[in-house]
């Protein structure tokens, strides 16, 4: 399979086609076997990853760091740019120029939509978007979600994916929905409060690819048909306190929700979880976010780093 990731940026999933997804999924399986058998390898020895996180992160930051370390590479881990010369007034552009001199790949999380694209124009070092703004993308997260679904169902085709919650501020939803558009007969249902619906860019992308999708306000209207329930957090950091109070409990997944779901369905969540899934749900085998999806983040990010950096 041709490696279209090699030496390239990953700032959006727009350019990824079905063969790219087959490749990265198969590489993630390879990484899973590698970690299970040997813990890692040295295939990225001599390469350096700079993680520049302008916004908080637990999973994305740590799993990129762990992925690079498990492949034998080095790291420049900056999980809070307030301890860097950014506080002295160094511009984003200059910061990218500087870290390009040290690193072979730069992973960026930033509060501004399009910041990773801006970085990609400044440097020839591959840029990975680790989440941009309230309504940008989170390509590696979308790929983790896709990999998790594929590993459990052994297919993506013919599945009905229901996404619920704050869909206006969920970059992972934007990436996953666009990735799903590469597969035949996938149905997507978006369930959200009227003021937290998916944005027009995503709608247009799905319309263009002729994806069957629906929008609902009541989870009960569609929950019994879901193969995958993707639950999202209400993103307090991107809204007023007044709006947050109004919408924070609009959708709570609990034992009553589980009772309405198919026996062979799954629940995924990008995490962190606040109140949108009650803790008792975690014990249900359909809840795969903690014991499965998080770990897949490591394998998928190892796969991406290998495909981008290892040109052999
Ligand atoms: N899912 C996710 O992006 O989590 P973090 O914000 O902790 O990286």
């Amino acid at each position: 399979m041709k490696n279209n990731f090699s030496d390239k940026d990953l700032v959006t999933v727009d350019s990824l086609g079905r063969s790219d997804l087959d490749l990265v999924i198969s590489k993630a399986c390879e990484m899973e076997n590698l970690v299970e058998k040997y813990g890692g390898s040295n295939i990225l020895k001599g390469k350096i990853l700079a993680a520049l996180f302008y916004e908080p992160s637990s999973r994305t930051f740590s799993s990129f760091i762990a992925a690079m370390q498990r492949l034998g590479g080095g790291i420049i881990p900056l999980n809070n740019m307030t301890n860097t010369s950014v506080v002295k007034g160094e511009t984003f552009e200059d910061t990218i120029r500087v870290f390009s001199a040290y690193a072979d790949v730069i992973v960026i999380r930033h509060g501004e939509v399009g910041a990773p694209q801006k970085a990609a124009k400044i440097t020839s070092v591959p840029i990975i978007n680790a989440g941009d703004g309230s309504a940008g993308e989170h390509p590696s997260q979308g790929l983790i979600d896709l990999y998790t679904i594929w590993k459990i169902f052994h297919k993506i085709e013919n599945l009905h994916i229901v996404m619920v919650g704050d869909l206006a501020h969920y970059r992972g939803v934007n990436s996953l929905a666009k990735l799903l558009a590469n597969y035949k007969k996938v149905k997507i249902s978006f369930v959200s409060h009227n003021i937290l619906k998916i944005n027009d860019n995503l709608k247009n992308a799905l319309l263009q690819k002729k994806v069957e999708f629906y929008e609902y306000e009541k989870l009960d209207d569609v929950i019994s048909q879901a193969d995958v329930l993707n639950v999202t957090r209400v993103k307090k950091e991107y809204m007023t306190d007044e709006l947050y109070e109004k919408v924070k409990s609009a959708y709570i997944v609990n034992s009553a929700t589980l009772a309405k779901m198919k026996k062979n369905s799954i629940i995924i969540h990008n995490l962190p979880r606040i109140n949108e899934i009650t803790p008792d749900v975690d014990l249900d085998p359909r809840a795969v976010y903690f014991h499965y999806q998080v770990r897949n983040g490591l394998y998928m990010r190892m796969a991406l780093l290998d495909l981008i950096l290892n040109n052999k």
Side-chain angles (χ1 to χ4, degrees):
M1 275 187 272
K2 185 166 183 280
N3 177 9
N4 290 320
F5 295 89
S6 180
D7 215 20
K8 298 267 174 43
D9 304 307
L10 182 62
V11 293
T12 165
V13 298
D14 286 345
S15 61
L16 301 184
R18 179 59 198 272
S19 60
D20 301 315
L21 302 183
D22 290 348
L23 175 66
V24 77
I25 284 174
S26 110
K27 183 59 81 174
C29 289
E30 203 183 295
M31 292 298 160
E32 188 165 347
N33 289 333
L34 180 79
V35 172
E36 276 174 14
K37 275 195 193 144
Y38 308 108
S41 79
N42 271 325
I43 51 177
L44 293 185
K45 192 171 180 335
K47 303 282 186 185
I48 302 272
L49 174 150
L52 310 183
F53 277 55
Y54 290 78
E55 278 193 331
S57 166
S58 293
R59 279 145 291 270
T60 312
F61 180 82
S62 307
S63 57
F64 265 117
I65 297 299
M68 195 63 181
Q69 290 178 317
R70 282 194 185 264
L71 292 175
I75 51 165
I76 303 172
L78 296 175
N79 192 1
N80 189 345
M81 298 304 282
T82 53
N83 284 328
T84 71
S85 287
V86 169
V87 290
K88 301 175 200 162
E90 186 163 65
T91 64
F92 178 71
E93 288 81 353
D94 286 356
T95 301
I96 297 304
R97 286 182 189 109
V98 168
F99 284 95
S100 298
Y102 305 141
D104 300 287
V105 61
I106 299 177
V107 182
I108 299 175
R109 174 168 288 188
H110 202 285
E112 191 186 303
V113 173
Q117 282 87 342
K118 202 195 278 183
K121 287 194 182 126
I122 295 166
T123 179
S124 59
V125 171
I127 299 289
I128 299 178
N129 178 0
D132 61 320
S134 66
E137 276 208 43
H138 196 346
S140 60
Q141 182 65 60
L143 287 165
I144 292 160
D145 302 345
L146 188 78
Y147 182 61
T148 300
I149 298 168
W150 182 87
K151 283 283 285 182
I152 291 169
F153 290 95
H154 308 293
K155 63 170 189 177
I156 302 294
E157 287 84 0
N158 288 303
L159 294 178
H160 184 179
I161 288 91
V162 175
M163 310 207 194
V164 61
D166 178 359
L167 306 182
H169 304 112
Y170 226 81
R171 41 210 186 190
V173 161
N174 293 337
S175 294
L176 176 59
K178 288 198 267 181
L179 288 169
L180 292 170
N182 285 285
Y183 295 85
K184 291 197 178 84
K185 295 186 181 166
V186 164
K187 187 154 81 169
I188 310 177
S189 294
F190 298 104
V191 184
S192 64
H193 196 285
N194 194 30
I195 39 181
L196 295 176
K197 290 165 77 163
I198 56 166
N199 64 46
D200 287 343
N201 285 345
L202 177 56
K203 262 189 225 176
N204 291 335
L206 297 178
L207 287 170
Q208 207 180 353
K209 292 222 172 166
K210 298 189 169 45
V211 177
E212 185 182 351
F213 74 93
Y214 304 92
E215 291 184 89
Y216 297 90
E217 282 195 37
K218 286 190 188 146
L219 184 57
D220 272 354
D221 287 345
V222 71
I223 189 65
S224 64
Q225 302 161 36
D227 295 303
V228 178
L229 179 64
N230 184 20
V231 186
T232 68
R233 172 175 71 90
V234 176
K235 290 205 162 177
K236 189 178 185 191
E237 63 270 34
Y238 293 128
M239 59 183 75
T240 61
D241 289 348
E242 194 187 351
L243 176 57
Y244 181 69
E245 286 306 315
K246 188 172 165 185
V247 297
K248 71 177 184 191
S249 302
Y251 304 98
I252 305 287
V253 172
N254 54 26
S255 55
T257 320
L258 282 175
K260 293 170 196 159
M261 292 182 69
K262 291 184 194 175
K263 291 273 175 282
N264 62 345
S265 58
I266 60 167
I267 302 173
I268 60 173
H269 191 309
N270 289 181
L271 304 174
R273 172 262 303 273
I274 308 302
N275 67 335
E276 61 278 5
I277 302 179
T278 57
D280 55 321
V281 171
D282 304 350
L283 303 174
D284 191 284
R286 289 169 288 183
V288 300
Y289 34 89
F290 282 127
H291 68 269
Y292 199 62
Q293 190 180 3
V294 171
R295 185 73 172 172
N296 287 340
L298 175 68
Y299 306 138
M300 179 50 72
R301 288 177 174 132
M302 288 173 77
L304 287 170
L305 293 176
D306 184 38
L307 289 171
I308 291 171
L309 289 173
N310 201 0
N311 301 330
K312 279 182 230 142

